[in-house]
Amino acid sequence: MKLSRPVSWFLLAFGVWSWIIWITFVKNLVKDASGLAFDDAGDPTGYFWVHLLLAVVSFVLGTVVGLIGLRSVRTLRRNSQPTPES
């Protein structure tokens, strides 16, 4: 399958965006002081585990989508270069 240049860049940008957003989310989740992520004893709650799982899945999907975009961008660049004359 051949992806267009705009679609390739969008997929790459989506992968990068996913990492930026979810890293920020996990940092905030770990620092949570509202009582949602950790109980009074400091142990993780169900809220913490569900959201950590959501973040991990999003990291994986963002990485896969970003790598597809990166491979496509690299292929498009390689194919758009003029071939040397014989």
Side-chain angles (χ1 to χ4, degrees), residues 9-74:
W9 280 105
F10 174 78
L11 293 176
L12 180 58
F14 180 84
V16 171
W17 175 255
S18 292
W19 271 86
I20 292 169
I21 291 300
W22 288 104
I23 286 174
T24 303
F25 181 82
V26 169
K27 285 180 182 177
N28 291 335
L29 182 65
V30 169
K31 292 187 298 186
D32 179 58
S34 70
L36 287 174
F38 299 97
D39 61 17
D40 294 333
D43 297 326
T45 62
Y47 176 91
F48 175 85
W49 292 115
V50 166
H51 285 83
L52 184 63
L53 178 63
L54 176 65
V56 169
V57 169
S58 296
F59 282 137
V60 171
L61 292 176
T63 300
V64 169
V65 168
L67 287 175
I68 291 169
L70 178 63
R71 287 182 59 189
S72 181
V73 165
R74 290 174 66 192

